[in-house]
Amino acid sequence: MSDQEVKTESRVFPPPANFVANAAISGMDAYNALCAEAANDYEGFWAKLARENLHWHKPFTTTLDESNAPLYKWFDDGLLNVSYNCLDVNIQKGLGDKIAIIFEADGGEVTKVSYKELHAKVCQFANGLRSLGVKKDDRVVIYMPMSVEGVVAMQACARIGATHSVVFGGFSAKSLQERIVDVGASIVITADEQVRGGKQLPLKSIVDEALGLGECEKVAKVIVYKRTGGNAPFNPARDLWMHDLVANQATECEPEWVNADHPLFILYTSGSTGKPKGVQHSSGGYLLWAMLTMKWTFDVKPSDIFWCTADIGWVTGHTYITYGPLAMGTTEIVFEGIPTYPNAGRFWDMIQKHKATIFYTAPTAIRSLIKAADGDAAIHPNKYDLTSLRLLGSVGEPINPEAWMWYYRNIGGEKCPIVDTFWQTETGGHMITPLPGATPLVPGSCTLPLPGIMAAIVDETGADLPNGQGGILVVKRPWPSMIRNIWGDTERFKKSYFPEELGGKTYLAGDGAIRNKETGYFTITGRIDDVLNVSGHRMGTMEIESALVANPLVAEAAVVGKPDDTTGEAICAFVVLKRSRPTGDEAKQIALELRNWVAKEIGPIAKPKEIRFGDNLPKTRSGKIMRRLLRVLAKGEEITQDVSTLENPAILEQLKQAQ
Ligand code: WT7
């Protein structure tokens, strides 16, 4: 979002009266009272919420243990089970026959699963995993399509205390292998194939390829969910079908009671260096925040039909598909397919069909559906009955005011608040977001931190900045759902998130932000590190550079982001080949080859949109690549900065030209 938009945005949308009347947090006074409660007695605030919202097998006696900061512990001497909290507790409350999941397949087939049925499936699968010797602390990699079975697999791991690590089904064999090795998985759960946009795409064969890349000897079994019955390789000595594994298992399974900080999952995300980070999350604190944000941000009620369009391969799918909605006893929609199949009216059709009341998606999806609706009146949202909706959400990247207004008018019918939720893989759940029954909305602003979240904007030394002055976004106190560690790399955890320059105890989000002078509202201004946000997917520039230089043709590569109307940011790569600089058709051909190479190394989401070839890259005399200048070139803007420190200023002219 441009500074211009931030400064000129003056539209304000007060919370609708029906929300204020019924919301969990009703009115700004109620919000401020909760914030004050947290400020007055921080631990007491969280302890009370943890006692009220979670089922504890053994109550905790210590709320927050800061003795080994920043390795914080929350509620850790308490014992609980996440799956028990999501399923058994709701069945005990009388919700056994309530629909937990409305699953819609890519082709439109609908399957409904009640809480009782889901409980039985999770227990059977958990028993199946136990029969294979899987136990507490083991790591299980899940590489599955969007499916009831995917949710079951995650919940089953939680039930027996195994730590899952879900890998998004769009990642390549190499990315999958790196994660299997790093996390030390003993089991991989996958499907024969996945179905997206009418196409059958491989999963199991990619798992086989990944395991064939080496260092995966620890993987004893591969469990395969039969999704299509298509042609997938099957090795009976190592592989087994999910349906065979669960066939004779009991539908009850005694949960493994774990300490609150037991790692529920590890989810890999990109950082500013080449290697993805295994973000380790807890059980108790994580689940508490998943539930509270369902209540506070989404104001979820027993009658809601909740739909989060994320994939379980990302944190949004973890918190707002697998854990949050189920822990709240909510009925939720799980969707296998893509927003543009069979046409770009798919989301609107599904909202109408399933009478969704809360809809949570990404700005990229909204922007691409705006374009589609503009181009085809037949799938314009005004052709569908969307009156069931009462609340809209946005996540993953800044939403530009124009897209916000379209979403508000065309999807929400000008009656649904939009919660623009700022958070990260590391935060476990929402951090800065409007509350639908309290916060006056301003398009493009994620507004104010949730109660108990001590967000602030500081300079490089950690000093507070006044409103109106842009700086670094930090969180000054630990919170229950925060990242606990980077799997296997405590040093990197400390350096990345709790740098010494900020005192070693302040959480560094990695984003820049500014607060409005009058309202104090936060607007996120973008990453301050070498991380890109492409279609709401986080990508490290170094990761893509490493993939490019691994190609035998490439001598050197530098990757930067450039603004893109649909995807937010697009990947632009500047490449020096070992041979002479190609031009014309040859350049096009090699660019295509390199794009496919990156897709194979990381996954299609990491493909550079644009590749420019040069004889060299702009470097300082000490050999440092000037990415700052490359960003200007990628945007197609004139360089106005001083380039006198460059070793080779002439190269800029050459790199100006897009191929
Ligand atoms: C990064 C985190 C949030 C879960 C999914 C993405 C950006 C996220 C917003 C928002 C502006 C946002 C930030 C953040 N981001 N939400 N509402 N407004 N920016 O999680 O992959 O860990 O990415 O996404 O840059 O640091 P993630």
Side-chain angles (χ1 to χ4, degrees), residues 212-537:
L213 290 172
E215 294 178 77
C216 296
E217 296 74 23
K218 264 197 78 181
V219 177
K221 290 283 172 209
V222 177
I223 303 169
V224 190
Y225 159 53
K226 191 181 264 186
R227 166 63 185 91
T228 64
N231 242 340
F234 196 85
N235 165 8
R238 185 202 60 197
D239 305 340
L240 73 171
W241 292 108
M242 189 168 175
H243 56 261
D244 287 337
L245 179 67
V246 300
N248 296 312
Q249 299 296 345
T251 53
E252 292 290 336
C253 171
E254 179 62 19
E256 178 83 31
W257 304 107
V258 297
N259 289 93
D261 265 323
H262 174 71
L264 175 64
F265 66 87
I266 294 157
L267 184 60
Y268 285 82
T269 190
S270 296
S272 33
T273 62
K275 204 167 157 276
K277 313 185 258 200
V279 173
Q280 178 184 325
H281 274 290
S282 70
S283 298
Y286 170 80
L287 189 66
L288 174 65
W289 200 229
M291 295 175 80
L292 286 175
T293 51
M294 285 297 297
K295 269 190 201 178
W296 290 351
T297 312
F298 292 128
D299 187 44
V300 75
K301 298 281 193 277
S303 56
D304 274 315
I305 312 279
F306 180 83
W307 185 14
C308 165
T309 68
D311 192 286
I312 52 167
W314 308 114
V315 74
T316 311
H318 282 59
T319 309
Y320 299 108
I321 294 178
T322 302
Y323 294 113
L326 295 178
M328 294 303 293
T330 308
T331 298
E332 64 171 329
I333 298 169
V334 174
F335 177 41
E336 178 181 45
I338 57 170
T340 48
Y341 178 83
N343 58 49
R346 183 67 181 266
F347 278 178
W348 324 137
D349 177 61
M350 283 181 60
I351 290 169
Q352 171 177 278
K353 180 157 67 175
H354 301 301
K355 300 197 165 38
T357 59
I358 304 175
F359 180 64
Y360 189 38
T361 197
T364 291
I366 298 165
R367 287 192 295 264
S368 69
L369 295 175
I370 295 175
K371 274 194 192 157
D374 286 348
D376 181 358
I379 52 95
H380 193 279
N382 64 18
K383 295 288 188 302
Y384 301 82
D385 178 5
L386 305 179
T387 52
S388 58
L389 288 171
R390 64 183 199 95
L391 178 63
L392 303 175
S394 170
V395 59
E397 48 179 323
I399 178 162
N400 48 307
E402 205 186 319
W404 195 102
M405 283 308 306
W406 186 92
Y407 196 30
Y408 185 74
R409 287 199 181 111
N410 293 283
I411 308 306
E414 299 188 28
K415 68 174 175 61
C416 304
I418 298 177
V419 287
D420 174 1
T421 60
F422 167 83
W423 58 297
Q424 309 174 295
T425 305
E426 293 87 344
T427 69
H430 304 154
M431 297 295 278
I432 308 180
T433 173
L435 299 171
T439 321
L441 306 172
V442 173
S445 169
C446 52
T447 73
L448 296 168
L450 286 164
I453 302 299
M454 306 303 184
I457 296 176
V458 300
D459 67 14
E460 298 78 43
T461 67
D464 281 310
L465 289 174
N467 289 355
Q469 202 170 323
I472 299 168
L473 179 65
V474 296
V475 186
K476 292 192 161 179
R477 296 284 286 135
W479 67 100
S481 69
M482 68 193 294
I483 176 175
R484 291 301 192 271
N485 208 336
I486 291 177
W487 183 253
D489 201 344
T490 302
E491 275 320 298
R492 190 175 177 195
F493 167 76
K494 290 181 179 168
K495 260 175 66 188
S496 310
Y497 303 114
F498 298 93
E500 281 307 322
E501 305 87 79
L502 299 179
K505 287 186 177 187
T506 297
Y507 174 79
L508 176 70
D511 282 287
I514 184 165
R515 298 186 72 163
N516 181 281
K517 265 195 181 142
E518 284 78 43
T519 59
Y521 279 11
F522 287 73
T523 292
I524 306 297
T525 50
R527 298 286 306 191
I528 52 169
D529 52 11
D530 293 316
V531 169
L532 305 182
N533 193 328
V534 182
S535 298
H537 295 150

Side-chain angles (χ1 to χ4, degrees), residues 73-140:
K73 288 187 171 173
W74 282 93
F75 321 120
D76 193 37
D77 66 344
L79 292 177
L80 85 171
N81 181 279
V82 167
S83 161
Y84 186 89
N85 269 279
C86 292
L87 303 172
D88 306 58
V89 167
N90 285 313
I91 293 170
Q92 286 154 22
K93 283 183 186 158
L95 300 178
D97 292 321
K98 182 172 178 177
I99 299 300
I101 295 178
I102 303 172
F103 174 72
E104 183 161 321
D106 185 70
E109 309 82 8
V110 175
T111 316
K112 296 186 182 179
V113 184
S114 69
Y115 271 88
K116 253 191 218 154
E117 289 164 339
L118 189 62
H119 176 265
K121 281 177 192 284
V122 169
C123 286
Q124 286 188 306
F125 194 53
N127 287 328
L129 288 172
R130 272 193 183 146
S131 76
L132 298 175
V134 184
K135 54 187 186 318
K136 178 166 170 271
D137 292 322
D138 288 349
R139 274 86 60 206
V140 174

